Amino acid sequence: MWPAQAMSGSLVLFGPPGAGKGTQAGLIVDLTGKPQVSTGDMLRAAVKAESAMGMEAKEYMDAGLLVPDSVIIGLIEERLTEADASAGVLFDGFPRTIRQAESLEAIANVVAVISIEVPDSAIVERIVGRRMDPETGGIYHVNFNPAPPEIVSRLIQRPDDNEETVLARLAAYHEQTAPLAAWYGERDLLVSIDGDHSIDEVAAAVETVVRGLA
Ligand code: ADP
Ligand code: ADP
């Protein structure tokens, strides 16, 4: 077993929308064996299932606003009761507010927060060019990570991945989420990575950090 697989506790992947959290999550899952818990993916599944919670969340997501803390905390509490979460998970896109982080403290042992730093100037192009494979969950980019030609016709663009909504998401990030970096820094949990490099270069930095945690 790779040492990182013996690491107990949870990890958090932190960063602005489009930083590359989802792109790098698979590598961390492979290195640690911890399941990825993406609140964005969970919310999109609820929207697709047309549950009452999904319908409520959709209004916020389409507007580029954060879904209320009470909804998100409920989702996470439920997810953490599942058997595969017992040795810790990889949170992706959660927590996004101080209140979410405080609630998380009571129910999970966060051992490191990996922050992928990307300037706003790079974010819009990343988000607008993002394409998702609905069959595999694969994340592509029209320029930076093109999909193989045989699957291009089935790729979808998220409804919130447009220029107008991304500006609202960035504003929400700076106002409500970015302060968490200092909050985790005060707790000595923050590890920052420069995400303004190629996907492979960022992956190499992520791997170094995760191996260093074990
Ligand atoms: P997040 O989960 O943080 O919102 P994603 O992993 O979905 O971000 O990445 C957003 C978009 O940017 C995707 O289209 C992805 O292919 C692309 N991307 C991810 N990392 C990089 C990178 N280092 N350089 C260029 N594009 C990237
Ligand atoms: P991104 O690519 O912006 O990182 P996500 O897939 O993580 O996107 O989230 C998509 C949307 O879902 C967000 O814009 C927000 O409306 C909602 N969302 C996801 N996670 C959270 C969270 N932890 N707290 C509040 N809202 C969330």
Side-chain angles (χ1 to χ4, degrees), residues 17 21 39-40 43-44 65 67 93 96 100 130 158 169:
K21 301 182 294 294
T39 41
L43 291 168
R44 280 183 289 277
L65 301 174
V67 172
R96 265 170 146 103
Q100 290 177 18
R130 173 161 58 188
R158 275 170 44 179
R169 285 155 67 193

Side-chain angles (χ1 to χ4, degrees), residues 15-18 21 38-41 43-44 57 60-61 64-69 72 92-96 100 127 130 158 160-161 169:
K21 301 182 294 294
S38 157
T39 41
D41 286 348
L43 291 168
R44 280 183 289 277
Y60 293 93
M61 295 164 81
L65 301 174
L66 293 187
V67 172
D69 286 335
I72 300 291
D92 164 8
F94 171 88
R96 265 170 146 103
Q100 290 177 18
I127 292 273
R130 173 161 58 188
R158 275 170 44 179
D160 56 342
D161 277 353
R169 285 155 67 193

Side-chain angles (χ1 to χ4, degrees), residues 79-178:
R79 178 65 183 85
L80 292 184
T81 63
E82 289 174 35
D84 68 340
S86 60
V89 305
L90 172 65
F91 293 108
D92 164 8
F94 171 88
R96 265 170 146 103
T97 63
I98 303 268
R99 187 162 154 231
Q100 290 177 18
E102 285 170 347
S103 300
L104 182 60
E105 258 188 335
I107 54 174
N109 176 29
V110 172
V111 293
V113 176
I114 303 171
S115 170
I116 306 183
E117 298 184 342
V118 177
D120 285 10
S121 55
I123 292 294
V124 175
E125 192 181 2
R126 284 199 190 183
I127 292 273
V128 173
R130 173 161 58 188
R131 299 292 183 272
M132 315 292 294
D133 180 352
E135 278 184 30
T136 65
I139 304 170
Y140 296 96
H141 190 281
V142 290
N143 300 319
F144 305 135
N145 187 22
E150 63 275 17
I151 71 161
V152 165
S153 63
R154 71 174 192 230
L155 298 184
I156 55 160
Q157 186 168 16
R158 275 170 44 179
D160 56 342
D161 277 353
N162 59 74
E163 193 157 347
E164 190 190 340
T165 308
V166 77
L167 296 179
R169 285 155 67 193
L170 268 177
Y173 171 77
H174 286 295
E175 197 175 310
Q176 295 169 276
T177 306

